[in-house]
Amino acid sequence: MSIANDSVFSHIVQAPEDPILGVTVAYNKDQSPVKLNLGVGAYRTEEGKPLVLNVVRKAERLLVDDNSRVKEYLPITGLADFNKLSAKLIFGANSPAISENRVATVQCLSGTGSLKVGASFLGRHYHEKIIYIPLPTWGNHPKVFTIAGLSVKSYRYYNPSTRGLDFQGLLEDLGNAPNGAIVLLHACAHNPTGVDPTPHQWDQIRQLMRSKALLPFFDSAYQGFASGSLDADADAVRKFVADGGECLAAQSYAKNMGLYGERVGALSIVCKSADVAARVESQLKLVIRPMYSSPPIHGASIVATILKNEEMYREWTVELKAMADRIILMRQQLFYALKDKGTPGDWSHIVKQIGMFTFTGLNSKQVEFMAKEYHIYMTSDGRISMAGLSSKTVPHLTDAIHAAVSNVA
């Protein structure tokens, strides 16, 4: 065979579709007028359309009209105002960790990029190379930490029989983890289950982790988007900072500001002293420099513009609560529709869970049935995005779930 006709990449095999993104691929191929995509992790309006917040458009107009703005590179650590405001948003404006300069914050490429930078930093500099992640968790988590050279273990989190938190299993598994291990925690609105610990349970988790010097790494993808309150959704993170211990927090503005494609995020590492924080920041720069050199300016400028303007900040919180409230309303409508139809099973978990996603309890065969017979698409584990529902589509989903649980074991 001639070299000219033979690719040096001939040995490459076709990679499988991402299980989450693959849902949208299947949905796009479907020609049915009643098709419904409940796999996408993005907010949709009652009309099923993507939403750009009014306050975001307002901030963008201000930025476009400011002729003093240029397109120069940002520093490796990103936009300084954005970093300061992001730390205040998650840790609280009066956080001692911030006032004592014990927080190293860097702008990253949304939540995934923030997790990746944090994982790479820990892989290089943290003494324990084991991270415990909840079972189940977001599908990208194990990949991000494995690539960074960390050994990924799991701790029990979801109890399928109660469709709630396996709290005793969680405590037992973290209690058996080696001292100093890293533990990934979802700050709020656990993805994919929508099940969060209660405030009292968070206290117990914190006490156990601190007693074993386990290092918390928070993934905060939904602050304000879960309950509608920015403070309530950051409460768990703030408990871990208030006790004086160290932790990491990855933030994303994809959901709560609707800035999905702008890829706006931050990684903060809370340290014991200002001196340690300064050294940590210096090493974070060495992680970022060969990865993407410096982050993009536009999305971070939008966030900073909104967070530092009192009027715009208030406008954002109103729009944010409206999104959270619509998702809560969809939970209520689906629950009562299933109840009124007499669908077999207890569906109270739909209103007990919180955030964008609900773990329905449907199995993979039932999910496949709903896609084939009702043109409704979701991940094979039965996770649905409540933000993808509307008052108009709740009846269709109700019929599909009823048929699935009635006819498919």
Side-chain angles (χ1 to χ4, degrees), residues 63-386:
L63 293 169
V64 169
D65 291 340
D66 182 356
N67 290 328
S68 68
R69 286 178 52 77
V70 294
K71 300 293 185 181
E72 292 293 290
Y73 291 120
L74 285 177
I76 297 172
T77 53
L79 190 66
D81 276 355
F82 168 84
N83 291 339
K84 291 174 187 174
L85 293 161
S86 293
K88 284 175 67 175
L89 188 71
I90 192 165
F91 300 130
N94 299 316
S95 171
I98 293 175
S99 61
E100 294 163 10
N101 296 316
R102 294 190 286 110
V103 182
T105 303
V106 291
Q107 180 190 335
C108 301
L109 308 184
S110 202
T112 305
S114 303
L115 290 165
K116 171 62 175 167
V117 170
S120 296
F121 170 81
L122 293 171
R124 292 186 194 182
H125 299 288
Y126 190 60
H127 63 88
E128 184 58 74
K129 307 301 182 189
I130 299 175
I131 183 165
Y132 282 75
I133 64 176
L135 186 66
T137 193
W138 180 47
N140 227 7
H141 280 147
K143 300 169 190 172
V144 167
F145 294 111
T146 299
I147 288 172
L150 299 175
S151 174
V152 176
K153 310 287 185 185
S154 63
Y155 61 90
R156 280 170 283 176
Y157 189 88
Y158 180 74
N159 184 339
S161 62
T162 64
R163 294 175 185 172
L165 184 66
D166 184 356
F167 188 54
Q168 292 309 312
L170 180 154
L171 292 179
E172 188 177 316
D173 289 347
L174 293 188
N176 290 329
N179 286 4
I182 309 157
V183 179
L184 180 77
L185 301 163
H186 295 228
C188 67
H190 181 273
N191 179 5
T193 69
V195 174
D196 286 354
T198 65
H200 179 62
Q201 288 172 332
W202 271 120
D203 283 332
Q204 292 177 263
I205 293 168
R206 181 184 58 80
Q207 289 163 12
L208 170 63
M209 288 182 60
R210 292 309 193 196
S211 73
K212 293 179 59 68
L214 300 174
L215 181 64
F217 193 156
F218 283 97
D219 185 356
S220 179
Y222 303 100
Q223 186 182 353
F225 200 79
S227 69
S229 166
L230 289 158
D231 290 329
D233 290 350
D235 187 60
V237 179
R238 293 176 188 179
K239 286 179 188 291
F240 278 81
V241 177
D243 68 11
E246 295 177 304
C247 67
L248 292 84
Q251 290 170 267
S252 167
Y253 289 94
K255 309 300 190 298
N256 59 16
M257 280 198 190
L259 296 174
Y260 304 95
E262 298 292 355
R263 313 307 292 145
V264 195
L267 171 72
S268 290
I269 303 182
V270 180
C271 305
K272 283 284 190 181
S273 68
D275 176 59
V276 172
R279 283 181 276 145
V280 165
E281 182 184 295
S282 74
Q283 291 295 335
L284 287 171
K285 290 179 184 178
L286 296 186
V287 171
I288 293 169
R289 177 63 171 144
M291 194 182 290
Y292 54 84
S293 196
S294 71
I297 194 170
H298 185 67
S301 298
I302 293 171
V303 174
T305 299
I306 293 169
L307 294 185
K308 68 186 177 187
N309 182 297
E310 285 187 27
E311 184 181 333
M312 295 178 79
Y313 181 88
R314 280 195 298 272
E315 186 176 343
W316 173 48
T317 60
V318 171
E319 291 194 79
L320 179 54
K321 190 173 189 308
M323 288 192 288
D325 286 349
R326 197 186 85 76
I327 290 172
I328 292 168
L329 178 63
M330 290 303 100
R331 289 183 178 279
Q332 294 168 344
Q333 288 188 5
L334 179 59
F335 168 67
Y336 286 113
L338 289 166
K339 188 178 178 182
D340 292 346
K341 196 172 181 67
T343 303
D346 177 10
W347 298 94
S348 61
H349 60 283
I350 290 174
V351 287
K352 289 176 182 173
Q353 294 171 7
I354 192 170
M356 178 178 281
F357 299 110
T358 284
F359 229 36
T360 59
L362 297 167
N363 61 42
S364 58
K365 288 184 179 178
Q366 292 165 336
V367 169
E368 189 177 343
F369 169 84
M370 289 170 62
K372 184 178 179 183
E373 300 297 331
Y374 287 84
H375 309 278
I376 295 175
Y377 295 86
M378 65 188 77
T379 53
S380 61
D381 57 10
R383 185 198 81 167
I384 63 173
S385 171
M386 300 307 298

